Amino acid sequence: MTTHLFIVTGASRGMGFCLAEQLLAPQHALLCISRSRSAHLANTAQQRGAALTQYVTDLADPIPAAEQLKLWLATQDPDTIASATLINNAGVIPPLVPLSDSEPADLAQALRVGLEAPMVLTAAFLASTRSWKTLRRVLNISSGLGRRPMASQSAYCAAKAGLDHFTRCLALDEAGLPNGAKVCSLAPGVIDTDMQVQLRSASPVLFPDQVNFAQLKTNDQLTSAEDAAARVLAFLSRKDFGEQAVADVRN
């Protein structure tokens, strides 16, 4: 019997929750790293015969999560594993104000959750699985805002831009290894989540793009979290996954 391992961060809500829910299947072992535990995911895992572990932590301090990830991976038998995949999905949008009006703690949290945590967790994942002979993948959930600037969103944009470039560097590292991991930083499209509510509810004075996000909702241009998760997982399963270090699910 072979098992597919998945680690998903930010799995307590939004697209991360939908990713976790859709990954719950027989012969799948899933570790969710989130700020809260989901009874729904636990019940679904039991019904479907999937192995689920939920680790509750704040990724603004990613070191404990990395240690927990190492411990979890150490309990796995590499000879029974068909694939191992880390999905760095967690992200934080700080208050929608210009940088000069931002609180240092808000900026630090956005950068730690959005960039520091993925790097720390990826390092732990790759180090723990270095000797494994199976397929290893790292999927970083990026954003179009990492590829174009937006006023009053410098921390989030910088975190996502950093995520893209970190992934490019990681791809170079792994390309030189005998069984290097396949890695990709993927923009998932515009999704109807709590983040979108936050964006379209902001003050237009402080956040000039507020009207654009409000129109996305009005014009029914948002993808549901469920559909977005399905598209992301379909991209992950493609044979050419990892050939592009930075990609967009819409392309």
Side-chain angles (χ1 to χ4, degrees):
M1 180 177 179
T2 56
T3 302
H4 297 274
L5 301 185
F6 295 93
I7 303 102
V8 180
T9 67
S12 59
R13 62 179 186 170
M15 189 180 74
F17 173 85
C18 295
L19 287 168
E21 185 179 45
Q22 292 175 28
L23 286 169
L24 291 173
Q27 299 186 336
H28 283 192
L30 176 62
L31 171 64
C32 293
I33 302 175
S34 310
R35 284 185 291 180
S36 62
R37 194 180 308 275
S38 169
H40 175 81
L41 290 179
N43 292 335
T44 302
Q46 188 173 26
Q47 292 167 6
R48 297 180 185 174
L52 171 65
T53 302
Q54 298 188 72
Y55 179 57
V56 177
T57 189
D58 185 349
L59 285 174
D61 180 11
I63 303 301
E67 294 303 317
Q68 182 68 21
L69 175 57
K70 290 179 183 178
L71 291 173
W72 185 75
L73 289 169
T75 67
Q76 310 299 323
D77 180 0
D79 293 334
T80 66
I81 295 168
S83 67
T85 303
L86 169 63
I87 302 177
N88 287 305
N89 164 76
V92 174
I93 289 186
L96 294 151
V97 295
L99 185 67
S100 58
D101 295 331
S102 299
E103 294 293 334
D106 293 331
L107 298 174
Q109 182 192 37
L111 290 169
R112 286 171 179 163
V113 174
L115 180 56
E116 181 181 332
M119 295 186 73
V120 169
L121 291 174
T122 299
F125 171 76
L126 293 176
S128 296
T129 61
R130 181 177 293 137
S131 64
W132 294 13
K133 306 302 182 184
T134 190
L135 170 66
R136 298 178 302 147
R137 298 174 297 192
V138 177
L139 173 59
N140 293 324
I141 301 300
S142 185
S143 169
L145 294 185
R147 301 161 197 182
R148 64 181 179 88
M150 181 168 287
S152 298
Q153 267 303 282
S154 56
Y156 185 80
C157 290
K160 293 302 185 182
L163 193 68
D164 284 350
H165 210 49
F166 145 60
T167 308
R168 293 185 183 100
C169 296
L170 177 61
L172 295 176
D173 288 345
E174 294 299 306
L177 300 178
N179 185 36
K182 295 185 177 183
V183 303
C184 181
S185 186
L186 181 68
V190 188
I191 309 166
D192 196 4
T193 63
D194 290 344
M195 278 191 179
Q196 283 292 320
V197 175
Q198 188 177 350
L199 291 167
R200 62 179 177 263
S201 301
S203 164
V205 175
L206 297 174
F207 182 48
D209 284 279
Q210 182 273 341
V211 64
N212 295 328
F213 285 96
Q215 287 176 349
L216 288 173
K217 179 67 173 180
T218 301
N219 297 334
D220 197 27
Q221 293 177 277
L222 299 174
T223 303
S224 71
E226 294 84 357
D227 288 346
R231 293 172 68 182
V232 166
L233 293 178
F235 190 95
L236 177 67
S237 67
R238 284 169 42 167
K239 291 182 179 180
D240 64 347
F241 177 83
E243 291 185 7
Q244 287 184 291
V246 176
D248 191 306
V249 76
R250 294 164 289 190
N251 296 333

Short mmCIF file of all heavy atoms in Angstrom, two decimals, residues 59 78 138 179 194 209 241:
data_model
loop_
_atom_site.label_atom_id
_atom_site.label_comp_id
_atom_site.label_asym_id
_atom_site.label_seq_id
_atom_site.Cartn_x
_atom_site.Cartn_y
_atom_site.Cartn_z
N LEU A 59 1.53 31.01 12.42
CA LEU A 59 2.72 30.98 11.56
C LEU A 59 3.50 32.28 11.56
O LEU A 59 4.53 32.38 10.89
CB LEU A 59 2.32 30.60 10.13
CG LEU A 59 2.00 29.12 9.93
CD1 LEU A 59 1.48 28.87 8.53
CD2 LEU A 59 3.22 28.26 10.21
N PRO A 78 9.23 5.98 4.43
CA PRO A 78 9.46 6.40 3.02
C PRO A 78 9.18 5.30 2.00
O PRO A 78 8.82 5.59 0.86
CB PRO A 78 10.95 6.79 3.01
CG PRO A 78 11.27 7.10 4.43
CD PRO A 78 10.42 6.19 5.26
N VAL A 138 6.78 21.11 -3.88
CA VAL A 138 6.47 22.28 -3.05
C VAL A 138 5.64 23.23 -3.90
O VAL A 138 6.09 23.68 -4.97
CB VAL A 138 7.74 23.00 -2.55
CG1 VAL A 138 7.36 24.26 -1.76
CG2 VAL A 138 8.59 22.07 -1.69
N ASN A 179 17.34 13.74 -6.87
CA ASN A 179 15.88 13.64 -6.81
C ASN A 179 15.33 14.95 -6.24
O ASN A 179 14.63 14.97 -5.24
CB ASN A 179 15.43 12.46 -5.94
CG ASN A 179 13.93 12.27 -5.95
OD1 ASN A 179 13.27 12.49 -6.96
ND2 ASN A 179 13.36 11.89 -4.82
N ASP A 194 -12.60 35.57 2.57
CA ASP A 194 -12.62 36.64 3.56
C ASP A 194 -11.66 37.76 3.20
O ASP A 194 -11.90 38.92 3.53
CB ASP A 194 -12.27 36.09 4.95
CG ASP A 194 -13.35 35.19 5.51
OD1 ASP A 194 -14.49 35.22 4.99
OD2 ASP A 194 -13.07 34.44 6.47
N ASP A 209 -7.72 51.16 -4.66
CA ASP A 209 -8.24 50.08 -5.51
C ASP A 209 -9.50 49.44 -4.96
O ASP A 209 -10.00 48.46 -5.53
CB ASP A 209 -7.17 49.00 -5.69
CG ASP A 209 -6.09 49.42 -6.66
OD1 ASP A 209 -6.32 49.32 -7.88
OD2 ASP A 209 -5.03 49.88 -6.21
N PHE A 241 4.26 19.88 -13.92
CA PHE A 241 4.36 20.69 -12.71
C PHE A 241 5.84 20.86 -12.34
O PHE A 241 6.60 19.90 -12.28
CB PHE A 241 3.63 20.04 -11.53
CG PHE A 241 3.77 20.82 -10.25
CD1 PHE A 241 2.94 21.89 -9.98
CD2 PHE A 241 4.75 20.49 -9.32
CE1 PHE A 241 3.08 22.63 -8.81
CE2 PHE A 241 4.89 21.22 -8.15
CZ PHE A 241 4.06 22.29 -7.89
#
